[in-house]
């Protein structure tokens, strides 16, 4: 191919923002000539590489927008350490049907059993499937809502949390929630109710949510909406952090009565 034509092709690809194809053009042309590829095979290869590059860039971008505390895929979760988790059920959730159905997922269990890891892993699956995801701790979310309420921007903030297709709210119950916070949280849950699915994690059983929210009536109203279409994963097991400490010899086995 003559250099002028190569130059023109290159300009077209830039105009079309097909950067991967531009980068690979010469190599792909050479390969096609050597292998005497059919036109259709050549075109498939060029477009296939471009789509793969764009998809991967998009996944990276949405992963950083999700604000996960760490990025650990579900594949790194050791199910054998946590037999109370039904691996099949988690795999089912990983197929993201729950998002299509608008179902919520609630992960309950003591500290260190992998609640955040599982929710991040499922969040990453959702991103791979093309959804927008946002992760927040309950404390950060409530403090942002409270601040926005004080500044007369509550509606804007509620929209911010209703826009992502999947909202993950981690660590409900670690910090006490005041009356206003509970009320604003209820407003968010009502907005997302039957519109956008959520994953929530808590170290407190549902029965204790009255104390978490400082108000039994509000807690019941929140749970009523949350659990209408929901899957609950109840993890009963030892902290994984403890397992790592044990391995490192930082604690002795008889001290492992982790609560
Ligand atoms: P929780 O949110 O329940 O307190 P995390 O999800 O933060 O627990 O888990 C604590 C740490 O242990 C994280 O680094 C997490 O990746 C890891 N972890 C927990 N459970 C497992 C597991 N079953 N397999 C692999 N890593 C795990
Ligand atoms: Mg956690």
């Amino acid at each position: 191919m003559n250099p002028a034509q190569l130059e023109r092709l290159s300009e077209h690809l830039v105009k079309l923002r097909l950067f991967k194809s531009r980068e690979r053009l010469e190599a792909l042309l050479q390969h096609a000539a050597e292998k005497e590829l059919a036109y259709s095979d050549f075109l498939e290869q060029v477009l296939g590489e471009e789509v793969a590059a764009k998809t991967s860039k998009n996944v990276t971008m949405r992963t950083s927008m999700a604000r996960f505390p760490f990025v650990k895929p579900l594949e790194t979760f050791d199910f054998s350490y946590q037999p109370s988790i039904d691996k099949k059920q988690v795999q089912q959730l990983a197929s993201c049907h729950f998002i299509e159905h608008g179902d919520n997922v609630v992960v309950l269990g003591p500290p260190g059993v992998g609640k955040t890891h599982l929710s991040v892993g499922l969040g990453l699956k959702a991103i791979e499937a093309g959804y927008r995801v946002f992760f927040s701790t309950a404390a950060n979310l409530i403090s942002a809502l409270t601040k926005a309420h004080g500044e007369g921007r509550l509606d804007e903030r509620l929209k911010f949390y209703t826009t992502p297709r999947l909202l993950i709210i981690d660590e409900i119950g670690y910090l006490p929630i005041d009356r206003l916070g509970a009320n604003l949280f209820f407003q968010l849950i009502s907005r997302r109710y039957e519109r956008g699915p959520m994953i929530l994690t808590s170290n407190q059983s549902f029965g204790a949510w009255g104390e978490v929210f400082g108000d039994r009536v509000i807690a019941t109203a929140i749970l009523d909406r949350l659990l209408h279409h929901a899957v609950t994963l109840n993890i009963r097991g030892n902290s994984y952090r403890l397992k790592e400490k044990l391995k490192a010899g930082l604690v002795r086995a008889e001290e492992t009565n982790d609560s």
Side-chain angles (χ1 to χ4, degrees):
M1 179 179 299
N2 71 56
Q5 189 179 29
L6 200 59
E7 182 69 20
R8 282 199 305 279
L9 282 178
S10 204
E11 281 168 15
H12 289 328
L13 291 172
V14 169
K15 269 212 180 102
L16 293 169
R17 308 182 63 76
L18 302 176
F19 302 115
K20 187 71 188 173
S21 307
R22 185 201 182 203
E23 179 194 314
R24 296 269 296 134
L25 183 62
E26 280 194 75
L28 290 177
L29 282 168
Q30 199 178 348
H31 172 79
E34 274 167 23
K35 301 276 176 201
E36 299 184 0
L37 288 190
Y39 298 126
S40 54
D41 290 339
F42 170 70
L43 194 59
E44 186 180 351
Q45 190 171 21
V46 175
L47 296 182
E49 285 196 16
E50 187 67 52
V51 167
K54 284 211 185 304
T55 306
S56 136
K57 195 174 155 204
N58 209 282
V59 166
T60 308
M61 200 180 73
R62 275 179 294 120
T63 303
S64 92
M65 279 169 58
R67 309 279 210 87
F68 294 123
F70 50 74
V71 176
K72 287 191 187 176
L74 215 47
E75 287 74 16
T76 63
F77 194 84
D78 178 4
F79 285 92
S80 69
Y81 186 74
Q82 222 54 265
S84 65
I85 304 177
D86 181 351
K87 186 177 176 181
K88 280 222 180 68
Q89 190 180 24
V90 176
Q91 280 167 341
Q92 180 77 26
L93 292 170
S95 70
C96 294
H97 291 313
F98 78 98
I99 298 180
E100 273 316 305
H101 296 161
D103 294 345
N104 297 318
V105 178
V106 188
V107 189
L108 301 179
V113 293
K115 299 182 297 298
T116 303
H117 189 145
L118 281 178
S119 51
V120 168
L122 289 173
L124 288 167
K125 291 287 176 205
I127 286 175
E128 276 170 36
Y131 297 112
R132 268 185 57 193
V133 177
F134 191 77
F135 181 108
S136 175
T137 60
N140 284 346
L141 180 138
I142 289 170
S143 102
L145 286 175
T146 305
K147 183 161 177 277
H149 173 75
E151 293 168 354
R153 294 183 296 100
L154 179 62
D155 207 57
E156 193 185 304
R157 199 66 200 174
L158 285 169
K159 271 204 193 99
F160 175 86
Y161 290 121
T162 28
T163 314
R165 189 61 190 275
L166 175 66
L167 178 67
I168 304 174
I169 307 177
D170 198 20
E171 298 184 353
I172 294 172
Y174 278 93
L175 293 174
I177 299 167
D178 64 17
R179 201 173 183 78
L180 176 62
N183 191 293
L184 296 173
F185 190 80
F186 170 70
Q187 288 192 44
L188 174 65
I189 299 297
S190 302
R191 281 238 188 165
R192 285 196 70 99
Y193 179 55
E194 288 195 337
R195 253 184 294 170
M198 290 177 280
I199 300 178
L200 300 101
T201 82
S202 181
N203 61 331
Q204 305 283 346
S205 66
F206 294 134
W209 282 31
E211 277 158 54
V212 169
F213 288 96
D215 182 325
R216 193 155 294 281
V217 177
I218 279 213
T220 306
I222 289 171
L223 282 170
D224 185 55
R225 281 158 184 75
L226 269 187
L227 301 181
H228 187 192
H229 303 283
V231 176
T232 304
L233 304 178
N234 233 317
I235 314 177
R236 290 170 304 271
N238 288 325
S239 166
Y240 196 84
R241 294 190 185 102
L242 202 65
K243 171 189 153 126
E244 292 186 326
K245 274 193 206 151
L246 270 173
K247 219 166 57 186
L250 295 175
V251 284
R252 289 195 312 272
E254 54 270 30
E255 291 174 32
T256 61
N257 285 330
D258 186 46
S259 58

